[in-house]
Amino acid sequence: ASVAGYTAAADGQAARAGVGGVRVLLAEDDELERFVYASLLRHAGYTVVEASDGAEALAQVRAQAPDVAVLDLSMPGLDGFQ
């Protein structure tokens, strides 16, 4: 996928030493922002699990057990503060 000429590297393709296998949960309701953040994280070598709202983020935490979470603080429904 690409946005404004930026093409995301495939998962693992640009993995860096030390971050391979680190699973990041990215919860962001804005589709374009989620794409950009996820692309940058993947390019840095992280495995990214995406969620578009708080309820989906909770489900992903239970299913994927991420190592770290990056949360949008103002999402509809459950937000990053809850």
Side-chain angles (χ1 to χ4, degrees), residues 22-28 37 41 46-51 53-54 56-62 64-73 75 79-82:
V22 174
R23 211 174 4 235
V24 177
L25 169 63
L26 173 62
E28 170 60 63
Y37 299 146
L41 287 164
Y46 295 95
T47 298
V48 180
V49 177
E50 298 180 41
D53 59 38
E56 185 179 353
L58 281 177
Q60 291 291 5
V61 165
R62 292 181 182 117
Q64 302 289 330
D67 299 300
V68 65
V70 177
L71 306 172
D72 180 350
L73 295 180
M75 292 184 288
D79 60 29
F81 289 113
Q82 298 172 320

